[in-house]
Amino acid sequence: MSPLSQRISRLLIRIVIPWSLTVGAVWMVSRGMEWGQFWSCIQGVRPAYLGFPIALTVLSYFWRTLRWRHLFPREVPSIKVAYKALIFGFFMNNILPARAGELVRAHVGARLSGESRSLVLATIAAERLLDGVALSVLLAIGSITMGILGLHVAEYAHQLQYVGVAFGVGGLLTVLLVSQRGLVDSLLLKFEGMLAGSRFTVVLSKIRHFIEGLTPLLCPRRLPIILGWTSVVWGLELMVFWVVASAYGVHLTLYQAIFFLVSSNFASLIPAAPGGIGIVEAVATAVLVSMGVARESAFAMALTQHVIQYAMVGVPGLYLLLRFRELRGVVASPS
């Protein structure tokens, strides 16, 4: 591929496609919006209610830090090291498109912990898988609740179930891979011997490190702790979404709050503009509207929740970027 073609490809992947998705999402969410009513919603928000979700969001990232430490198979990093890498990775997700902050977090975590980038990336993948499965379980609870109440699952909410199934399948495949690690490891070592001296041996070595990084998911001693903290994280997050809705005078039921939470988080997986700007608001608004919430209130709720998430990661993330030289070096030279 010529240098010009490479530049065009990078331009499409990093800028054109993500921002096209975002612009399309913003256009969709703005259709039929009564902007005067939207501003009335914003002006009518109860500020006293917003302090609670802010505090809960900060607390949820602390619990994420504790959980991530126990996803390392060997040496568990200190809370300080884990928090710096985790917050900085989320911060970079809000700056870089397509959730590229996960790669930055793997690089920072490797530099601060002394582990390989492949292994640290595997711990992040395990964390994402846990979050996806947890959201899928909540989605199942919400869907079952609606079924018991005899309510129809709206089209947009129904489509979220396919993402939940995908995470469920991913979880099963990961369990299968880790449970057969000895067999997979021996096969990879055999291939390394056959390909000795070639560049593929490096790739195979990274794959082995990656699989090793997934092993805590099946550790009998760690798994209950990891699952417990995952439950705490998403319990706090669910409360955040419920209280944000209450700040606008919208009293969500359990299943509505679950679908609000799940739609916002699943939407952030779409490789759009940095931080899921526009996409998160569009998807969450569409799901809430399909469940009977006024479009203007739904958009205000989705936007407020997203701003809180941005601020609670952005403020400490920016501080870390300005304060620590090793993090500035990662941004300047991420390779």
Side-chain angles (χ1 to χ4, degrees):
M1 184 179 291
S2 67
L4 178 60
S5 299
Q6 291 178 349
R7 285 197 294 270
I8 293 175
S9 298
R10 285 196 295 266
L11 180 65
L12 287 172
I13 294 173
R14 295 180 181 179
I15 299 177
V16 177
I17 294 177
W19 281 101
S20 296
L21 290 171
T22 293
V23 170
V26 171
W27 176 78
M28 288 180 62
V29 79
S30 64
R31 288 191 306 169
M33 182 79 68
E34 294 290 342
W35 291 106
Q37 183 63 33
F38 168 74
W39 287 116
S40 295
C41 289
I42 294 294
Q43 292 169 357
V45 69
R46 290 176 276 190
Y49 276 62
L50 297 181
F52 193 40
I54 288 172
L56 289 174
T57 301
V58 172
L59 193 58
S60 74
Y61 281 104
F62 174 73
W63 282 107
R64 286 177 186 273
T65 300
L66 295 179
R67 178 184 62 173
W68 189 41
R69 294 177 67 236
H70 287 275
L71 288 171
F72 282 76
R74 293 193 295 267
E75 192 72 23
V76 176
S78 67
I79 293 178
K80 181 179 179 181
V81 165
Y83 180 79
K84 284 167 64 175
L86 183 141
I87 287 295
F88 194 69
F90 276 95
F91 170 67
M92 294 305 294
N93 267 338
N94 290 341
I95 296 176
L96 302 175
R99 301 190 67 88
E102 309 291 19
L103 299 177
V104 175
R105 178 176 161 193
H107 186 58
V108 171
R111 177 176 291 187
L112 297 179
S113 68
E115 297 284 2
S116 70
R117 276 184 288 186
S118 300
L119 186 143
V120 177
L121 186 60
T123 66
I124 298 171
E127 178 188 87
R128 286 290 163 264
L129 182 61
L130 286 165
D131 289 339
V133 171
L135 288 169
S136 301
V137 170
L138 285 172
L139 185 61
I141 293 172
S143 300
I144 292 171
T145 302
M146 293 184 71
I148 293 173
L149 296 175
L151 299 173
H152 173 67
V153 179
E155 178 184 356
Y156 290 112
H158 183 73
Q159 292 171 353
L160 295 173
Q161 296 173 352
Y162 294 108
V163 184
V165 170
F167 272 110
V169 172
L172 291 175
L173 291 175
T174 301
V175 169
L176 179 62
L177 178 65
V178 176
S179 64
Q180 300 299 317
R181 183 193 168 199
L183 175 61
V184 175
D185 210 34
S186 63
L187 289 174
L188 290 174
L189 285 171
K190 185 179 294 185
F191 280 122
E192 282 187 39
M194 294 169 57
L195 300 172
S198 72
R199 61 182 179 180
F200 292 106
T201 56
V202 177
V203 176
L204 294 173
S205 176
K206 290 182 181 295
I207 293 174
R208 287 197 294 108
H209 281 293
F210 187 87
I211 296 174
E212 181 187 3
L214 298 173
T215 54
L217 291 176
L218 292 186
C219 176
R221 182 174 56 86
R222 293 192 188 190
L223 185 58
I225 299 173
I226 293 170
L227 293 179
W229 282 341
T230 299
S231 300
V232 171
V233 167
W234 289 108
L236 291 171
E237 291 284 350
L238 184 59
M239 291 178 64
V240 167
F241 281 74
W242 185 80
V243 177
V244 166
S246 298
Y248 286 97
V250 178
H251 301 289
L252 299 180
T253 62
L254 173 63
Y255 67 85
Q256 286 176 323
I258 286 174
F259 277 104
F260 183 19
L261 167 71
V262 173
S263 61
S264 298
N265 282 275
F266 279 175
S268 68
L269 299 175
I270 299 173
I277 296 173
I279 288 287
V280 169
E281 287 77 9
V283 174
T285 298
V287 169
L288 287 170
V289 169
S290 72
M291 304 184 79
V293 180
R295 179 179 296 274
E296 293 74 22
S297 296
F299 181 53
M301 290 156 50
L303 182 62
T304 300
Q305 182 278 326
H306 204 175
V307 169
I308 289 174
Q309 290 285 344
Y310 245 89
M312 294 307 99
V313 169
V315 172
L318 183 60
Y319 169 79
L320 291 172
L321 178 63
L322 298 176
R323 176 68 176 79
F324 294 97
R325 183 179 300 174
E326 67 265 31
L327 298 185
R328 291 198 299 271
V330 167
V331 176
S333 180
S335 60

